[in-house]
Amino acid sequence: MTTPFPGNLLRRPEAGALIGLIGVTVFFAIVGGIEFLYPSSVGSWLSRSATLGIVAIPVGLLMIAGELDISVGATITAGALITALVSGYYEQPIILGMLAALAFGAIVGLVNGYLVLKTGVPSFIVTLGTLFAVSGILLGATVVLTGTTSIAIKAPEMVKTMFGMYFGAGFQVLILWWIAITAAFYFFMHLSPFGNWIFAMGGDKESARNAGIPTARMTILLFVLSSVCASFVGMSQAILFQSVQATPQLTLIFNTIIAVVVGGVLLTGGFGSVIGIFFGTITFAVVTQGIYYTSFDQTWSNLVIGVLLLGAVLMNNTFRKMALSYAPKKEAKA
Amino acid sequence: MSVPILALRGVNKSFGPIDVLHDITLEVRAGEVLCLLGDNGAGKSTLIRILSGVHQPSSGSIEMDGAAVSFPSPRAAADKGIATVHQFGGTFPLMSIGRCFFVGVEPTKGWGPFRVYDRRKANAIAVKAVRDFGITRIDDGDRLVGGLSGGERQSLAIARAVHFGARVLILDEPTAALGVKQATHVLRIVNEAKRRGLAVVFITHQVMHAMAVGDHFAVLIRGAVAADFRKGEKSREEITDLMAGGASMASLEAEIESHMASHGEAAE
Ligand SMILES: Nc1ncnc2c1ncn2[C@@H]1O[C@H](COP(=O)(O)OP(=O)(O)O)[C@@H](O)[C@H]1O
Ligand SMILES: [Mg+2]
């Protein structure tokens, strides 16, 4: 069965996100001026998207599976700090610092997943706990080890090129990583059979388990993916900025959730898409960067984001209902 | 008579101090529908949870093909061919028909790490399986399960169980939430499953639905089998009375009617 193009698109989880993205882009191109679409501007909002997007996708997959991870706000700092500590303060080869950062991310993910499974406490609470615990460890350890709360790092040229370079008119190299990671997650979620397991887990965990899906292993895997992605972003921030503060990035938590929800993921799980999160992330970045191009004071951007979030949720609800009630034309006659 | 596929022998079940089932002995045979009747709280759901591995009996035994078995988990029961379909059928309303049908056993194409979910194949098989059960209104495997009618959802779940080789089909009040037309659909599908040689345990408290498909009936009252009879041995009124726990439902109905009638006249 093939359905005409628009009908098919509107039933997809990313429909609302795409419309929202086009909407805000057109809005800022008109209100903020056409400079908003110049390559240098595009570079700035895509670079912002990349940082957020690499974390938002695995967090979104967790949400599709019916879980939440807010510890990423601490894990991202952990990634940056550990890279700086190992390769900056202790002057070890950069590769060691990078591997240590990613390994720490994996450990945080394992702890999150294990605690969620063992305690049965909602993942919001568990990861709220690890968010604070990890921030505490980081700050404490940094002060004890270095005597300060900020560490400098000087990465070799090659590594800087890979993680901290700009190309073209202000395009951060992280954009390429983001696209590659999005493609990998797209394959995992929508092409490989594992995606189906994640949707089923978010739909009804008990039935998914009874259908033979290794729900425990999948849950741990998803928590590890989100923590590793967060520490990956932290690691590349350390390499880019060459200096790291031992403070958790609390706004990142809200920003990922906004990007994911604007991207059409159902907060209670079972519905969503990687492409939707991708669009949701750009939408968020367009709004936060777009405000600079308008005559409004940038302090208004939170208002715009709030309205965007509510609007997106309502629109996504409408589209989801359409997807649910969709039936081929033929049925009307039957 | 043939050996029953599934049998309960003297099964008791209590939750702590609460005795829910007493000395239940029941048999389910291939190509037969066993209707489990009973008022709310009689223990029907508890009984099928024992059959499907959710609960374990406190005492007594379960036999499959004449040999003692135990189902430590729903998975264990499912592996032995016992499929349970719950009241609302599809449990994943936001998944497509094809994805829902193959959840956990997704068909793939390609090789190694690049194996991908074969959506076309999954949709085609799922749609064919439901259509073979006479639900011809389903022809697009991309439709979301939550968009199907209650009867269609039940049918999809039953077709799925049959497709994956279930031998015993347990249906917990599949028609309770349905209108007459939808219920008829489901009853037709129960008959089709029976025709294909499955043993069906059908739970309902609608006597008419039970009589439409049942070969064998068991009435549960306060956790005990109060009556166990075959098709044609009892009338609808007798069954209704039994379910009401002996109180004569038929006479109560008559009383209510006459009361309504006189009340109606008085108002005029
Ligand atoms: N897990 C349980 N713990 C304690 N009592 C239970 C439990 N499950 C069921 N019961 C009790 O067993 C009785 C029968 O319940 P149930 O099997 O659901 O009846 P039915 O499906 O016939 O309406 C009820 O009184 C119920 O309260
Ligand atoms: Mg019940």
Side-chain angles (χ1 to χ4, degrees), chain B residues 108-163:
Chain B
T108 54
K109 57 187 179 188
W111 52 271
F114 299 106
R115 276 178 312 122
V116 299
Y117 167 69
D118 191 342
R119 171 176 147 266
R120 215 173 271 278
K121 184 174 169 190
N123 285 357
I125 294 175
V127 167
K128 181 172 186 305
V130 219
R131 291 175 71 94
D132 284 352
F133 266 94
I135 304 292
T136 50
R137 288 159 34 124
I138 293 180
D139 58 3
D140 181 356
D142 280 332
R143 273 179 73 185
L144 300 186
V145 171
L148 303 179
S149 71
E152 287 169 339
R153 246 188 276 183
Q154 289 284 340
S155 310
L156 176 67
I158 296 172
R160 176 176 193 274
V162 172
H163 180 85

Side-chain angles (χ1 to χ4, degrees), chain B residues 177-243:
Chain B
L178 304 181
V180 177
K181 205 170 139 207
Q182 295 283 330
T184 317
H185 262 314
V186 173
L187 294 174
R188 205 164 340 127
I189 282 170
V190 170
N191 265 329
E192 173 63 20
K194 168 168 106 174
R195 199 189 58 77
R196 295 195 191 187
L198 274 85
V200 182
V201 180
F202 181 86
I203 291 155
T204 180
H205 50 243
Q206 277 140 306
V207 180
M208 288 303 284
H209 292 171
M211 294 188 74
V213 293
D215 299 294
H216 183 182
F217 303 82
V219 179
L220 224 53
I221 295 176
R222 285 187 297 276
V225 179
D228 186 343
F229 51 93
R230 300 198 61 83
K231 186 176 184 154
E233 289 177 1
K234 284 199 183 351
S235 70
R236 183 186 160 214
E237 285 73 22
E238 284 173 303
I239 301 175
T240 313
D241 287 353
L242 268 169
M243 278 177 65

Side-chain angles (χ1 to χ4, degrees), chain B residues 10-27:
Chain B
V11 164
N12 291 284
K13 177 69 188 174
S14 44
F15 296 101
I18 312 161
D19 291 324
V20 177
L21 296 175
H22 316 281
D23 196 26
I24 305 281
T25 295
L26 277 178
E27 297 183 340

Side-chain angles (χ1 to χ4, degrees), chain B residues 84-105:
Chain B
T84 311
V85 174
H86 295 286
Q87 196 167 348
F88 297 103
T91 40
F92 310 115
L94 291 168
M95 284 171 80
S96 74
I97 292 173
R99 282 181 174 268
C100 190
F101 195 88
F102 281 100
V103 83
V105 284

